[in-house]
């Protein structure tokens, strides 16, 4: 008995601790009365859309060497001022941007109204550090909203919680003027006279402006929290009050997960895995998420960056997102003159070509039921309402034969998606063998559409 006692205690402890873990997950406090079903409905258009355009544009387009240049090179406001003085986007025509986004099949867009550098593309009444005070002399956010809305694209705003220009924003570990070595005294010295409460009001006021002055806003992408030591999180931003205000002003809006409100059942609408590989996306299956990705590594225009993703890599990201039940938001960093550069245009053109022919395997689709085995090297997506299964041919079969393992009795009809041309089916034991033309169609990743029983 004496021997068994410690064991029993141990088991009791394990039981109690697993019970409390479970209950704490279930009883996260809520900030609203929305039910899970209502949330799914609110987000339906976004889940159906699957594909959006991110646009990172600000003064950092002038140095053209990363949107974090101010941080990386520890640039002061005084030195950074030259980019404000020189900002003159004479080729800015958001109608062109919107047309390109639409052609590429992107259903929503998210523009940086203010990035970490603090410069506002919109006409905020709380600062002079804004586009209207530059040679552009106008509210560039308004023009973006009008242009994208006219193309039927949903409107999103990115707004940086961080601000490296505001005099009251306390210097922290990612600030350009951070100390060389972290210590309480170093930060205290640097932050003399800075007042986070004042910055918090500024932030609240600007978010209020953005959600009051531009009509219906579909998405708000707030960026970002780093609640570790010498960082900032929900108490700094007063995230609870902020999200309440956001939902009050725009009841239907969809908000990302970077406000540090993970302790609340409804503090975030979607996860934001950033620049992860297509393989890693499998981890998010079953959650609500959007992966954000760049063409070349940085978000802002970076002239000398040569690590541009290939057309195939971009398609892989798009297909892998859908096939794991998530969205892809792909970023363009326009130049300081206000256009997409030729590399971005090429990438978007190739996506347009593919999406024109194959978008049915993306929109309204998600991961396929487990009953369908994934043919080797391929990726599946599935439209449950239309009862269509899409096989993305990452490796085109050299002999023109595609084996669908265990598909006998499950498929009614097979065709190429891009031209609805029939693909002959043959039963082989438990499998189905499709006959494809030996010559691969012109699409980098052709798609087979299967009507399922
Ligand atoms: C990061 C970076 C930022 C970029 C964002 C997009 O948080 O700070 O530059 O805007 O990711 O996801």
């Amino acid at each position: 008995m004496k021997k068994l006692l410690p064991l029993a205690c141990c088991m009791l402890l394990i039981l109690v601790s697993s019970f409390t873990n479970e209950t704490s997950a279930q009883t996260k406090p809520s900030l609203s009365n929305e039910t899970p079903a209502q949330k799914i409905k609110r987000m339906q258009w976004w889940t159906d859309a699957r594909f959006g355009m991110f646009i990172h544009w600000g003064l950092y387009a002038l140095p053209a060497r990363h949107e974090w240049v101010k941080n990386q090179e520890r640039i002061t406001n005084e030195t950074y001022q030259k980019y404000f003085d020189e900002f003159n986007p004479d080729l800015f025509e958001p109608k062109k941007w919107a047309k390109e986004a639409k052609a590429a099949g992107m259903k929503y867009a998210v523009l940086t109204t203010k990035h970490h550098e603090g410069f506002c593309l919109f006409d905020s009444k709380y600062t002079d550090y804004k586009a209207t005070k530059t040679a552009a002399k106008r509210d560039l956010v308004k023009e973006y909203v009008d242009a994208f809305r006219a193309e039927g694209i949903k409107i999103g705003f990115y707004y940086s919680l961080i601000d490296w220009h505001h005099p009251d924003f306390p210097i922290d570990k990612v600030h350009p003027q951070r100390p060389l070595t972290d210590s309480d005294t170093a930060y205290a010295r640097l932050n003399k006279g800075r007042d986070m409460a004042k910055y918090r009001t500024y932030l609240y006021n600007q978010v209020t402006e953005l959600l009051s002055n531009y009509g219906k806003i579909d998405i708000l992408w707030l960026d970002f929290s780093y609640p570790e030591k010498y960082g900032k999180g929900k108490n700094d931003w007063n995230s609870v009050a902020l999200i309440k205000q956001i939902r009050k002003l725009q009841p239907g809006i969809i908000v990302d997960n970077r406000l540090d409100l993970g302790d609340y059942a409804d503090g975030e609408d979607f996860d934001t895995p950033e620049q992860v590989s297509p393989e890693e996306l499998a981890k998010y299956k079953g959650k609500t998420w959007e992966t954000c990705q760049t063409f070349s590594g940085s978000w802002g225009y970076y002239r000398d960056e040569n690590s541009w993703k290939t057309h195939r890599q971009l398609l892989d990201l798009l297909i892998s997102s859908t096939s794991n039940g998530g969205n892809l938001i792909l970023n363009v960093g326009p130049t300081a003159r206000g256009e997409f550069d030729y590399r971005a245009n090429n990438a978007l053109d190739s996506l347009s070509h593919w999406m024109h022919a194959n978008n049915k395997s993306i929109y309204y689709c998600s991961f396929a039921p487990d009953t369908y085995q994934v043919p080797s090297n391929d990726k599946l997506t599935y439209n449950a309402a239309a009862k269509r299964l899409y096989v993305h041919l990452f490796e085109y079969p050299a002999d023109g034969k595609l084996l669908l393992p265990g598909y006998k009795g499950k498929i009614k009809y097979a065709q190429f998606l891009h031209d609805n041309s029939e693909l002959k089916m043959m039963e082989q034991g438990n499998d189905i063998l499709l006959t494809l033309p030996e010559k691969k169609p012109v699409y980098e990743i052709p798609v087979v559409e299967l009507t399922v029983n």
Side-chain angles (χ1 to χ4, degrees):
M1 182 66 200
K2 254 191 195 164
K3 267 190 194 158
L4 284 176
L5 203 64
L7 188 71
C9 285
C10 200
M11 295 206 21
L12 193 72
L13 254 175
I14 292 172
L15 250 173
V16 168
S17 71
S18 68
F19 177 73
T20 42
N21 273 341
E22 251 172 51
T23 41
S24 68
Q26 279 165 7
T27 54
K28 276 188 183 179
S30 286
L31 296 161
S32 72
N33 302 322
E34 190 180 53
T35 65
Q38 285 168 329
K39 178 179 173 184
I40 289 174
K41 197 162 170 229
R42 173 166 58 83
M43 298 193 60
Q44 195 66 54
W45 73 263
W46 182 87
T47 338
D48 292 343
R50 289 293 178 228
F51 192 25
M53 175 182 272
F54 223 154
I55 306 171
H56 274 67
W57 195 44
L59 298 181
Y60 43 80
L62 285 100
R65 51 179 191 274
H66 209 285
E67 78 284 354
W68 275 60
V69 62
K70 197 175 184 190
N71 158 294
Q72 289 168 351
E73 300 177 16
R74 295 176 179 264
I75 304 174
T76 60
N77 280 352
E78 293 66 37
T79 308
Y80 207 77
Q81 182 61 26
K82 62 182 173 229
Y83 304 128
F84 181 93
D85 298 338
E86 293 292 332
F87 185 68
N88 186 13
D90 59 332
L91 299 176
F92 174 63
E93 262 184 73
K95 283 183 189 153
K96 271 197 191 166
W97 296 4
K99 285 204 168 19
E100 287 194 60
K102 188 172 183 174
M106 292 151 158
K107 297 282 193 187
Y108 59 94
V110 177
L111 169 72
T112 51
T113 58
K114 177 192 95 167
H115 203 259
H116 310 334
E117 64 178 3
F119 176 67
C120 299
L121 292 178
F122 62 109
D123 190 13
S124 170
K125 70 173 184 230
Y126 302 102
T127 184
D128 281 336
Y129 201 53
K130 57 182 176 183
T132 35
K133 297 283 181 185
T134 66
K137 289 204 182 82
R138 46 205 217 281
D139 185 328
L140 304 173
V141 168
K142 175 156 195 328
E143 293 186 21
Y144 149 80
V145 170
D146 293 345
F148 279 71
R149 206 174 267 149
E151 290 293 340
I153 296 174
K154 299 271 189 190
I155 305 298
F157 287 160
Y158 168 108
Y159 180 85
S160 171
L161 298 164
I162 300 168
D163 195 313
W164 297 332
H165 178 266
H166 198 284
D168 280 309
F169 186 87
I171 291 169
D172 56 28
K173 63 177 191 176
V174 298
H175 195 280
Q177 274 69 61
R178 64 198 173 279
L180 288 174
T181 39
D182 283 346
S183 77
D184 292 357
T185 45
Y187 281 105
R189 190 165 29 84
L190 285 166
N191 282 322
K192 224 185 247 157
R194 289 178 184 254
D195 183 350
M196 186 63 191
K198 282 196 190 147
Y199 174 71
R200 209 165 19 243
T201 306
Y202 176 77
L203 152 69
Y204 185 92
N205 285 339
Q206 285 206 322
V207 169
T208 300
E209 278 183 321
L210 285 168
L211 301 185
S212 308
N213 299 343
Y214 301 89
K216 183 166 190 290
I217 303 306
D218 303 291
I219 301 167
L220 186 63
W221 226 102
L222 295 163
D223 196 33
F224 62 83
S225 299
Y226 42 119
E228 318 82 64
K229 195 162 191 204
Y230 308 127
K232 290 186 175 62
K234 58 175 178 293
N235 296 330
D236 301 286
W237 320 126
N238 199 354
S239 297
V240 170
L242 198 58
I243 195 127
K244 285 187 177 163
Q245 169 75 339
I246 292 164
R247 299 214 181 281
K248 190 176 113 203
L249 295 171
Q250 297 275 348
I253 203 164
I254 295 173
V255 186
D256 70 342
N257 68 339
R258 297 195 176 180
L259 263 172
D260 187 25
L261 287 175
D263 289 345
Y264 293 87
D266 55 353
E268 45 195 48
D269 285 333
F270 62 95
D271 280 352
T272 54
E274 182 172 330
Q275 307 261 47
V276 300
S277 68
E279 294 69 42
E280 273 176 84
L281 293 174
K283 280 203 303 237
Y284 296 89
K285 206 167 155 180
K287 296 186 175 179
T288 310
W289 56 272
E290 170 195 77
T291 181
C292 43
Q293 301 275 345
T294 59
F295 282 141
S296 62
S298 71
W299 299 87
Y301 177 65
Y302 196 139
R303 185 191 55 207
D304 302 334
E305 199 164 54
N306 291 315
S307 45
W308 283 65
K309 294 185 178 83
T310 62
H311 174 54
R312 187 180 175 84
Q313 286 173 314
L314 297 172
L315 280 183
D316 192 5
L317 282 168
L318 179 60
I319 296 161
S320 301
S321 297
T322 306
S323 78
N324 287 299
N327 286 19
L328 167 68
I329 186 162
L330 194 54
N331 180 73
V332 184
T335 69
R337 295 190 70 184
E339 356 174 73
F340 295 175
D341 93 326
Y342 70 99
R343 292 163 294 189
N345 284 332
N346 287 344
L348 290 168
D349 286 350
S350 329
L351 287 169
S352 307
H353 177 245
W354 192 88
M355 278 296 274
H356 168 77
N358 297 299
N359 67 33
K360 282 191 200 166
S361 77
I362 302 295
Y363 303 145
Y364 304 103
C365 288
S366 187
F367 49 84
D370 290 339
T371 44
Y372 299 105
Q373 205 184 310
V374 187
S376 53
N377 300 319
D378 299 336
K379 293 189 180 176
L380 297 178
T381 65
Y382 182 64
N383 183 327
K387 291 193 130 190
R388 302 288 160 123
L389 183 68
Y390 297 100
V391 187
H392 298 81
L393 304 176
F394 278 71
E395 295 291 340
Y396 195 78
D399 58 358
K401 300 287 178 221
L402 177 67
L403 186 79
L404 302 173
Y407 279 49
K408 189 185 153 196
K410 294 181 182 166
I411 304 298
K412 244 201 261 178
Y413 189 77
Q415 61 184 6
F416 267 136
L417 175 57
H418 63 266
D419 65 356
N420 281 8
S421 62
E422 183 181 11
L423 299 169
K424 286 196 178 157
M425 307 200 287
M426 219 171 69
E427 283 182 10
Q428 227 178 45
N430 235 352
D431 309 330
I432 285 185
L433 195 67
L434 292 188
T435 305
L436 272 47
E438 270 175 36
K439 191 169 171 341
K440 183 184 165 187
V442 291
Y443 302 96
E444 175 63 37
I445 299 175
V447 184
V448 169
E449 182 180 53
L450 302 172
T451 309
V452 304
N453 281 321

